[in-house]
Amino acid sequence: MSQIQCVRCGIAGEPQAFKPFSNEMGTRIYESICKACWAEWLKTQQQLINHYALIPHQPKAKEFLLRNMEQFLFGEGAPDSLP
Ligand SMILES: [Zn+2]
């Protein structure tokens, strides 16, 4: 894939270097989210981790971050809230 049309910012640009996850969501992000938006999410994710003092491998924290990621990138799912 040489270029993608980002569903978040609407700009056609380079895809990410690799899939962020090896699952369906990873493919979806790879195919529809540009590098810049992904970088923005990583920053936001770090802020959430710091703000809520999350431990990222804990299942609850993981689920929380995944939900927020979906919302951030695709505008879907529940709004920000701790489980
Ligand atoms: Zn984008």
Side-chain angles (χ1 to χ4, degrees):
M1 208 185 309
S2 54
Q3 275 218 329
I4 56 138
Q5 170 97 33
C6 178
V7 296
R8 183 166 183 269
C9 64
I11 295 170
E14 268 185 66
Q16 294 156 57
F18 49 85
K19 290 183 191 182
F21 311 105
S22 56
N23 58 16
E24 209 183 302
M25 179 59 79
T27 306
R28 191 174 170 204
I29 291 168
Y30 181 74
E31 286 175 353
S32 55
I33 296 294
C34 73
K35 259 185 186 172
C37 287
W38 181 248
E40 252 181 74
W41 160 248
L42 291 181
K43 250 192 266 167
T44 303
Q45 175 175 250
Q46 195 52 55
Q47 283 165 4
L48 287 171
I49 290 169
N50 294 342
H51 183 77
Y52 293 109
L54 298 176
I55 298 160
H57 349 272
Q58 275 184 352
K60 272 198 167 178
K62 240 184 182 169
E63 196 198 306
F64 172 73
L65 289 171
L66 271 175
R67 262 211 327 268
N68 277 274
M69 183 186 73
E70 234 179 316
Q71 163 105 56
F72 183 89
L73 298 175
F74 302 110
E76 291 168 3
D80 300 0
S81 65
L82 260 182

